[in-house]
Amino acid sequence: MLLEAKNVSKVFRGRRSAEPVRAVADASIRARPGEFVAIVGESGSGKSTLARILLDLIPASAGSVELDGVPIASMTRAQRADYRRSVQAVLQDPAGSLNPRKTVERTVGEVLRLHRIATTAPETREKVVDVLRLVGMTPAERFLGRYPHELSGGQRQRVLIARAIALSPRIIVADEAVSALDASVKAGVLRVMADLTDRLGVGYVFITHDLPVVKKVADHVYVMRSGQIVEEGPKDEIFSAPSHDYTRTLLAAAPVLGEER
Ligand SMILES: Nc1ncnc2c1ncn2[C@@H]1O[C@H](COP(=O)(O)OP(=O)(O)O)[C@@H](O)[C@H]1O
Ligand SMILES: [Mg+2]
């Protein structure tokens, strides 16, 4: 399976007086199951907009998103539904991704029911327990009845991952999914994500401004600036020999990497 953004652009047209904003400009990326692809760039460089386009939440102004060569825009209803199951989102929790009034069991169970992966209550519970185990929330039964405020930041992020994984996606688009977490908690969630690649073969489009994280986990890196992909390559090449001035600046500004030089 191959997920591609091909020459994708997005222009936001403001109200009457406002200038249009070109948030993404001719960006192309590729992602596959089993692969950890990172998109890095400063705030405002268009990362989240590209993520929303990949997730089929907003349309591109130009270019296309394709799954195995089939553009989203020309998919049948069934293909589109399959796309939306195969490519799942994990966003930052403070953005309000979890409903404060829903328990963990309900949050994860609802998507299982919606997609008819489970139908009865016992079957749903069993599947919820399975995915909670996959994200390291054990004993899973202890977490079923908890509400978001009864969970730590790392646990909430694991629930978001569990909810995505429940649909057996091939690729997860994670937008700043660990950026708000403390270092040790962050490492734990990243281990869970890497573990899911080993166990389920899931791939990631991992969007972040956090370069030390990218250095640790990514296979392939795209560098975004002002809506454009200015550089891409295998992680080791990008980190050892950045070819673009902007990438060099970005790397120099990352504290952990600075120390290592
Ligand atoms: N819905 C929107 N309407 C207008 N402008 C937007 C909208 N969403 C994002 N933008 C603008 O697009 C640019 C890229 O934003 P974004 O994709 O959120 O970047 P990043 O995630 O890298 O911080 C910014 O200038 C932002 O203000
Ligand atoms: Mg963003």
PDB file of all heavy atoms in Angstrom, residues 44 47-49 175-176 207, ligand 2:
ATOM      1  N   GLY A  44       3.347  27.148  11.629  1.00  0.00           N
ATOM      2  CA  GLY A  44       2.855  27.950  10.513  1.00  0.00           C
ATOM      3  C   GLY A  44       3.356  27.511   9.153  1.00  0.00           C
ATOM      4  O   GLY A  44       3.033  28.128   8.134  1.00  0.00           O
ATOM      5  N   LYS A  47       2.037  22.237   8.128  1.00  0.00           N
ATOM      6  CA  LYS A  47       2.010  20.809   8.476  1.00  0.00           C
ATOM      7  C   LYS A  47       0.596  20.302   8.786  1.00  0.00           C
ATOM      8  O   LYS A  47       0.183  19.271   8.275  1.00  0.00           O
ATOM      9  CB  LYS A  47       2.931  20.546   9.682  1.00  0.00           C
ATOM     10  CG  LYS A  47       4.358  21.025   9.514  1.00  0.00           C
ATOM     11  CD  LYS A  47       5.220  20.670  10.716  1.00  0.00           C
ATOM     12  CE  LYS A  47       4.767  21.283  12.031  1.00  0.00           C
ATOM     13  NZ  LYS A  47       4.817  22.764  12.070  1.00  0.00           N
ATOM     14  N   SER A  48      -0.113  21.042   9.648  1.00  0.00           N
ATOM     15  CA  SER A  48      -1.455  20.580  10.035  1.00  0.00           C
ATOM     16  C   SER A  48      -2.423  20.626   8.861  1.00  0.00           C
ATOM     17  O   SER A  48      -3.302  19.777   8.749  1.00  0.00           O
ATOM     18  CB  SER A  48      -2.003  21.422  11.190  1.00  0.00           C
ATOM     19  OG  SER A  48      -1.234  21.204  12.350  1.00  0.00           O
ATOM     20  N   THR A  49      -2.256  21.602   8.002  1.00  0.00           N
ATOM     21  CA  THR A  49      -3.123  21.684   6.821  1.00  0.00           C
ATOM     22  C   THR A  49      -2.891  20.472   5.930  1.00  0.00           C
ATOM     23  O   THR A  49      -3.845  19.830   5.471  1.00  0.00           O
ATOM     24  CB  THR A  49      -2.852  22.990   6.051  1.00  0.00           C
ATOM     25  OG1 THR A  49      -3.057  24.095   6.937  1.00  0.00           O
ATOM     26  CG2 THR A  49      -3.770  23.119   4.855  1.00  0.00           C
ATOM     27  N   ASP A 175      -0.475  14.240  14.304  1.00  0.00           N
ATOM     28  CA  ASP A 175      -0.103  15.652  14.246  1.00  0.00           C
ATOM     29  C   ASP A 175       0.240  16.154  15.649  1.00  0.00           C
ATOM     30  O   ASP A 175      -0.647  16.338  16.473  1.00  0.00           O
ATOM     31  CB  ASP A 175      -1.250  16.466  13.642  1.00  0.00           C
ATOM     32  CG  ASP A 175      -0.858  17.915  13.351  1.00  0.00           C
ATOM     33  OD1 ASP A 175       0.315  18.272  13.587  1.00  0.00           O
ATOM     34  OD2 ASP A 175      -1.724  18.682  12.896  1.00  0.00           O
ATOM     35  N   GLU A 176       1.514  16.387  15.891  1.00  0.00           N
ATOM     36  CA  GLU A 176       2.003  16.850  17.206  1.00  0.00           C
ATOM     37  C   GLU A 176       1.446  15.968  18.333  1.00  0.00           C
ATOM     38  O   GLU A 176       1.074  16.461  19.395  1.00  0.00           O
ATOM     39  CB  GLU A 176       1.632  18.323  17.449  1.00  0.00           C
ATOM     40  CG  GLU A 176       2.101  19.295  16.370  1.00  0.00           C
ATOM     41  CD  GLU A 176       3.607  19.598  16.397  1.00  0.00           C
ATOM     42  OE1 GLU A 176       4.351  18.951  17.184  1.00  0.00           O
ATOM     43  OE2 GLU A 176       4.041  20.459  15.608  1.00  0.00           O
ATOM     44  N   ILE A 207       3.857  14.181  12.322  1.00  0.00           N
ATOM     45  CA  ILE A 207       4.062  15.600  12.079  1.00  0.00           C
ATOM     46  C   ILE A 207       4.459  16.292  13.364  1.00  0.00           C
ATOM     47  O   ILE A 207       3.776  16.159  14.387  1.00  0.00           O
ATOM     48  CB  ILE A 207       2.769  16.198  11.506  1.00  0.00           C
ATOM     49  CG1 ILE A 207       2.544  15.591  10.118  1.00  0.00           C
ATOM     50  CG2 ILE A 207       2.834  17.708  11.472  1.00  0.00           C
ATOM     51  CD1 ILE A 207       1.205  15.860   9.551  1.00  0.00           C
TER      52      ILE A 207
HETATM   53 MG    MG B   2       0.128  22.369  13.351  1.00  0.00          MG
END
